[in-house]
Amino acid sequence: MNAPLPSPAGIELIALTKRYAQGSVAVDGINLRIASGSYCCLLGPSGCGKSTTLRMIAGHESTTSGDILLENRNITALPAANRGTAMMFQSFALFPHLSARDNVAFSLKMKGVDKATRQQQAQALLERVAMGHLSTRKPGELSGGQQQRVALARALITQPRVLLLDEPLSALDPFLRTQMRAELRHWQRELGLTFIHVTHSQEEAMALADTMVVMDHGRIEQVGAPREIYNRPASEFVARFMGGHNVFATTQGKVAVRNDHIQLAPTSSTGWPATVSDVEYQGTYVLLGLQLDGEATGPVSVMLPEATFVQRPYAPGERVDLSWDPALAHTLTA
Ligand code: ADP
Ligand code: MG
């Protein structure tokens, strides 16, 4: 038996602003539409305003100005519990002394729901996330993946239409993080809810998101699908933050070129002269660090497939020319 779930909802932010008392602007008039039922990642460096944005959506932080709409309903002034949103916290934050079922039922207990009803609802939600058979275990008796599902069920007990996740995976070791990321994506699809997930990891955001929102200094730099943002970064900031790109100031303007789209040739050809500074073996590819000659200094990275490198290896100190197919150079507007 499956617990009924509420329908997902879209979120719209209109000129949303948060200014803290000291006068610093954490979120600077952002406008954003998040589609109902989508997986949205807010991505950006530490301090760019991701958590503040999420906490304003959740109702855990007041807004300075602007509006938050949930499916056309203005929720800006509503208390957190009446918004139709729920938050899933870092490292799951389960109560260690309570069973999975009591963890899930906890907020209903706080609301004064009778024991039979809350246990039945908690059990139904645990079944929904394939944890029904383990509902009497305590968190310490569950794997990381199972704990995450309990945390998910606990967030879902309030019937949210939008689930908010603030760096849910960042305290986990890299192996578990990748595993849990796949689980999150699976459950988002399975439950059909809107997820808004904050992360500073571009790799995590690209793996998870239908829509990525790249932020810097309280503003939105770019919104789009991961492939769109990776292949068409709107600004030098996005190109550099996403990684895997080199930025060149050419006679046609500033361009971003992916590090797997750069060719190396012996000097005396017609490319950009450079010197190899370091060589890193990464398994399926080899990453070369290079220093450009002349005025246009700054490090450049080039990624060669392992087989290409084995056929023609490069060593630190070696002089080369860099070139790329102009069709693969993306012009930056800012
Ligand atoms: P992120 O989650 O992207 O790392 P935050 O939203 O937590 O960033 O913070 C954005 C900015 O607001 C930062 O400069 C931070 O120092 C500031 N800030 C966050 N919370 C507070 C607070 N309670 N009081 C004052 N400044 C804050
Ligand atoms: Mg944060």
Side-chain angles (χ1 to χ4, degrees), residues 138-179:
K138 291 187 176 153
E141 299 159 345
L142 298 170
S143 73
Q146 292 165 339
Q147 288 179 40
Q148 178 167 264
R149 285 189 243 165
V150 176
L152 195 56
R154 189 178 56 174
L156 296 176
I157 197 101
T158 58
Q159 299 261 303
R161 304 176 69 188
V162 177
L163 189 68
L164 308 171
L165 309 97
D166 193 350
E167 309 261 8
L169 308 175
S170 55
L172 307 176
D173 69 66
F175 179 74
L176 196 57
R177 197 182 308 149
T178 313
Q179 218 182 351

Side-chain angles (χ1 to χ4, degrees), residues 128-144:
R128 182 97 211 184
V129 293
M131 282 292 292
H133 61 302
L134 299 174
S135 64
T136 58
R137 289 214 193 156
K138 291 187 176 153
E141 299 159 345
L142 298 170
S143 73

Side-chain angles (χ1 to χ4, degrees), residues 15 20 65 73 84-86 100 102-103 112 115 121 143 171 181 190 202-203 224 238-239 258 261 298 306:
Y20 284 108
S65 59
R73 190 167 66 111
T85 61
D102 287 342
N103 262 286
K115 186 166 181 175
Q121 283 186 23
S143 73
R181 172 172 102 190
E190 182 76 20
Q202 48 87 16
E203 184 196 309
V238 176
R258 280 169 48 159
H261 286 160
E306 187 194 27

Side-chain angles (χ1 to χ4, degrees), residues 233 235-240 245-250 253-258 262 272 292 296-301 324 330 332 334:
S235 63
E236 181 175 358
F237 169 80
V238 176
R240 293 200 187 279
H245 284 84
N246 297 289
V247 177
F248 296 100
T250 67
K254 203 173 259 192
V255 297
V257 186
R258 280 169 48 159
I262 291 182
W272 295 55
L292 287 179
T297 47
V300 170
S301 72
W324 55 86
H330 171 68
L332 298 170

Side-chain angles (χ1 to χ4, degrees), residues 20 22 24 26 44-53 55 61 166 198:
Y20 284 108
Q22 302 88 327
S24 66
S46 176
C48 74
K50 307 179 295 293
S51 293
T52 304
T53 302
R55 289 204 307 268
E61 186 76 75
D166 193 350
V198 160

Side-chain angles (χ1 to χ4, degrees), residues 9-331:
I11 288 277
E12 189 174 354
L13 309 179
I14 304 164
L16 187 65
T17 301
K18 178 67 187 186
R19 208 182 303 271
Y20 284 108
Q22 302 88 327
S24 66
V25 183
V27 177
D28 196 2
I30 62 173
N31 293 291
L32 179 66
R33 264 173 204 272
I34 298 169
S36 177
S38 68
Y39 204 122
C40 174
C41 284
L42 305 184
L43 170 70
S46 176
C48 74
K50 307 179 295 293
S51 293
T52 304
T53 302
L54 202 72
R55 289 204 307 268
M56 286 194 284
I57 297 171
H60 297 161
E61 186 76 75
S62 64
T63 60
T64 303
S65 59
D67 288 294
I68 304 164
L69 310 187
L70 186 142
E71 213 65 50
N72 298 322
R73 190 167 66 111
N74 196 322
I75 61 168
T76 317
L78 293 182
N82 301 349
R83 290 185 172 217
T85 61
M87 186 81 103
M88 196 170 120
F89 291 98
Q90 203 180 59
S91 311
F92 324 136
L94 298 172
F95 297 117
H97 58 289
L98 296 183
S99 69
R101 191 165 57 209
D102 287 342
N103 262 286
V104 176
F106 188 78
S107 69
L108 297 183
K109 186 176 179 182
M110 291 296 102
K111 280 187 185 163
V113 176
D114 70 86
K115 186 166 181 175
T117 306
R118 64 181 194 248
Q119 296 252 314
Q120 182 270 327
Q121 283 186 23
Q123 184 65 32
L125 265 180
L126 283 167
E127 269 154 35
R128 182 97 211 184
V129 293
M131 282 292 292
H133 61 302
L134 299 174
S135 64
T136 58
R137 289 214 193 156
K138 291 187 176 153
E141 299 159 345
L142 298 170
S143 73
Q146 292 165 339
Q147 288 179 40
Q148 178 167 264
R149 285 189 243 165
V150 176
L152 195 56
R154 189 178 56 174
L156 296 176
I157 197 101
T158 58
Q159 299 261 303
R161 304 176 69 188
V162 177
L163 189 68
L164 308 171
L165 309 97
D166 193 350
E167 309 261 8
L169 308 175
S170 55
L172 307 176
D173 69 66
F175 179 74
L176 196 57
R177 197 182 308 149
T178 313
Q179 218 182 351
M180 295 302 95
R181 172 172 102 190
E183 278 241 352
L184 275 184
R185 180 74 235 209
H186 167 82
W187 290 111
Q188 187 271 335
R189 286 211 180 97
E190 182 76 20
L191 301 165
L193 289 179
T194 311
F195 275 32
I196 308 178
H197 174 137
V198 160
T199 177
H200 62 273
S201 158
Q202 48 87 16
E203 184 196 309
E204 189 170 302
M206 287 208 290
L208 285 170
D210 295 311
T211 306
M212 261 166 59
V213 179
V214 185
M215 294 180 67
D216 188 33
H217 290 113
R219 294 176 187 225
I220 293 177
E221 285 272 327
Q222 192 170 2
V223 178
R227 278 200 73 198
E228 196 178 317
I229 291 188
Y230 194 75
N231 286 300
R232 301 185 156 276
S235 63
E236 181 175 358
F237 169 80
V238 176
R240 293 200 187 279
F241 183 74
M242 292 307 295
H245 284 84
N246 297 289
V247 177
F248 296 100
T250 67
T251 46
Q252 286 83 38
K254 203 173 259 192
V255 297
V257 186
R258 280 169 48 159
N259 62 12
D260 58 336
H261 286 160
I262 291 182
Q263 272 105 49
L264 300 184
T267 38
S268 81
S269 61
T270 55
W272 295 55
T275 305
V276 177
S277 52
D278 49 75
V279 178
E280 282 182 2
Y281 179 66
Q282 309 250 326
T284 52
Y285 60 91
V286 175
L287 197 61
L288 301 182
L290 301 111
Q291 196 67 41
L292 287 179
D293 283 3
E295 299 284 301
T297 47
V300 170
S301 72
V302 174
M303 202 170 112
L304 297 177
E306 187 194 27
T308 308
F309 183 84
V310 168
Q311 224 165 42
R312 169 54 169 101
Y314 292 89
E318 198 166 335
R319 310 264 308 141
V320 291
D321 270 5
L322 309 181
S323 61
W324 55 86
D325 176 351
L328 297 176
H330 171 68
T331 305

